[in-house]
Amino acid sequence: MKINRINRALDSLKEQGISQMLIVDPMSIYYMTDVYIEPHERFFGLYIREDGNHVMFLNNLFTIPDGVDIEKVWYSDTDPICEIIARYLDKEQVLGVDKDIKARFLLPLMEANAAKSFVNSSLAVDMTRGIKDEEEQEKMRVASAINDQAMAIFKTLIHEGVTEKQVADQMLAIYLDLGAEAYSFPPIVSFGANAADPHHSPDDTVLKEGDCVLFDVGCIKDGYCSDMTRTFFYKFVDEHQKEIYNLVKNANETAEAKIKEGVAIHVFDDTARNLIADGGYGPQFNHRLGHFIGLAEHEFGDVSSTNENPAQAGMIFSIEPGIYLPGDTGVRIEDLVLVTKDGVEILNKYPKEIEIIE
């Protein structure tokens, strides 16, 4: 059990005037208990309350590690699970519910008046997960270090006649050899004009001289995700590509230099976006600057023009400006960054100077 994390979520709930919450997102439950279960159609939930009498609801089909210090309520496929849950809720108090709870569980609880009222209180957990503790920060450093090592190897897969898919198909084995457990998301490998699609899936496009080579890749280590993008060039880079690359690199590094505790998060997006717009490519930067990351590759929170929240120490998110020219080329440079009390720690160390693959 991660009691400190549960208590932080409870403190956030208290600020909303809520004393109890039913959590069903498996990753959030894992975050608080070290128990991960993919329940599929069955109910799996963690009930937390301010008096500390927390409960985990488990189907008999599930298995959990020994020593999980929480009251466990087991049920079978034929048991009325919603009635069972209702017995543990404080009917006189508001119940915070997870945004992911399925209607077939929520509606019976509401119809039975199992709580005074029901509110979406997911922000209490989402915001708690958004501030990484020291253990999480170190795991994110390790995952990003593996990604740096992998990027150096991925570059060596580039040669005359290779296709995007042939490169992508070799990546998982490389990650596993480096100690990772899995991809954090399917790798993006884009040659030439394909890089103008930010979410391009590797296909049978054959590399040719003068192409950009974009890798957007990440792995999982000890449950935590990494994510990084680097853009290379094969054989040579022309002046047009160099202009775009240097503009994106400047946007990436200037935005990162603005990061420190207390600065509104939209400032980072504004900084990168204004630089790219001033360079004449504003419409070609067509996505937010970044996303939060941790146990999931995309967690709640983003680095966008609408996020007025202040950066807080412990936040980890991506900084990934890009310029995308359909039918021509694309460039994106992405790092993960950790907000610290003193400023920012860039988790990715792989260089960002223009590299030509010979």
Side-chain angles (χ1 to χ4, degrees):
M1 291 288 291
K2 303 287 188 180
I3 295 300
N4 183 55
R5 295 177 185 177
I6 292 175
N7 288 340
R8 285 169 55 204
L10 286 167
D11 288 343
S12 184
L13 284 170
K14 189 174 181 179
E15 292 175 3
Q16 301 176 42
I18 300 170
S19 61
Q20 57 179 347
M21 180 176 179
L22 186 61
I23 303 166
V24 299
D25 171 37
M27 200 59 79
S28 291
I29 296 174
Y30 173 75
Y31 170 77
M32 294 181 171
T33 67
D34 283 334
V35 174
Y36 184 82
I37 292 170
E38 187 54 59
H40 303 291
E41 76 274 16
R42 295 175 173 84
F43 186 86
F44 172 48
L46 174 67
Y47 172 55
I48 62 173
R49 49 189 291 163
E50 64 180 0
D51 63 7
N53 293 321
H54 314 310
V55 178
M56 185 178 288
F57 297 97
L58 297 150
N59 187 277
N60 290 336
L61 183 68
F62 304 156
T63 59
I64 64 172
D66 293 334
V68 179
D69 186 19
I70 189 172
E71 181 178 356
K72 304 166 194 69
V73 176
W74 296 90
Y75 71 95
S76 72
D77 284 347
T78 56
D79 289 333
I81 181 56
C82 292
E83 292 180 20
I84 293 170
I85 295 168
R87 295 173 197 153
Y88 289 83
L89 306 181
D90 187 337
K91 297 182 179 183
E92 305 304 317
Q93 300 296 324
V94 174
L95 177 68
V97 295
D98 194 320
K99 60 182 180 292
D100 291 336
I101 190 169
K102 294 179 179 178
R104 63 192 180 90
F105 299 127
L106 177 59
L107 291 177
L109 291 172
M110 296 175 71
E111 290 165 359
N113 296 315
K116 180 179 179 181
S117 61
F118 298 77
V119 298
N120 180 355
S121 60
S122 288
L123 273 179
V125 177
D126 291 338
M127 297 298 283
T128 299
R129 284 178 59 182
I131 308 297
K132 271 54 181 180
D133 58 32
E134 291 184 6
E135 176 186 348
E136 293 180 286
Q137 291 174 27
E138 185 55 30
K139 288 181 177 180
M140 292 291 288
R141 290 187 186 99
V142 171
S144 287
I146 291 175
N147 217 18
D148 285 338
Q149 296 173 58
M151 185 66 75
I153 299 173
F154 296 158
K155 186 181 67 171
T156 69
L157 303 177
I158 299 301
H159 58 81
E160 182 179 354
V162 76
T163 69
E164 295 170 344
K165 192 172 185 303
Q166 286 170 339
V167 173
D169 286 348
Q170 299 176 72
M171 289 179 160
L172 182 58
I174 291 168
Y175 274 132
L176 296 177
D177 285 346
L178 291 171
E181 297 147 10
Y183 290 136
S184 50
F185 57 94
I188 296 172
V189 181
S190 306
F191 296 163
N194 289 342
D197 175 1
H199 286 162
H200 173 72
S201 295
D203 59 24
D204 293 326
T205 298
V206 178
L207 181 70
K208 61 182 186 297
E209 291 189 11
D211 276 348
C212 68
V213 177
L214 186 151
F215 293 133
D216 187 345
V217 293
C219 65
I220 299 173
K221 174 65 175 174
D222 293 331
Y224 282 79
C225 297
S226 61
D227 187 2
M228 174 174 60
T229 306
R230 291 292 185 267
T231 305
F232 305 96
F233 297 91
Y234 182 56
K235 294 295 187 180
F236 66 87
V237 55
D238 63 30
E239 290 303 312
H240 169 60
Q241 293 167 323
K242 191 178 295 184
E243 173 198 6
I244 293 168
Y245 187 94
N246 287 331
L247 184 54
V248 172
K249 176 175 176 287
N250 186 34
N252 168 276
E253 293 176 340
T254 305
E256 289 176 349
K258 294 278 187 180
I259 298 171
K260 65 178 180 179
E261 190 171 40
V263 177
I265 291 173
H266 73 84
V267 169
F268 317 140
D269 184 285
D270 295 344
T271 298
R273 199 167 302 280
N274 290 341
L275 281 170
I276 290 174
D278 290 346
Y281 293 97
Q284 286 73 46
F285 177 22
N286 55 15
H287 56 75
R288 63 192 178 185
L289 183 63
H291 58 87
F292 281 55
I293 184 170
L295 286 168
E297 186 247 331
H298 280 216
E299 295 194 337
F300 176 83
D302 66 9
V303 185
S304 71
S305 60
T306 61
N307 192 338
E308 303 286 341
N309 293 318
Q312 298 181 56
M315 287 181 171
I316 296 179
F317 45 77
S318 66
I319 297 293
E320 49 181 303
I323 293 175
Y324 311 98
L325 305 176
D328 182 2
T329 192
V331 172
R332 180 165 65 256
I333 300 173
E334 174 187 17
D335 299 312
L336 295 187
V337 300
L338 165 63
V339 182
T340 69
K341 291 290 185 183
D342 301 319
V344 63
E345 177 184 342
I346 313 299
L347 298 187
N348 293 109
K349 312 302 182 187
Y350 194 91
K352 289 182 274 193
E353 298 304 321
I354 287 181
E355 281 194 69
I356 298 174
I357 301 172
E358 298 292 345

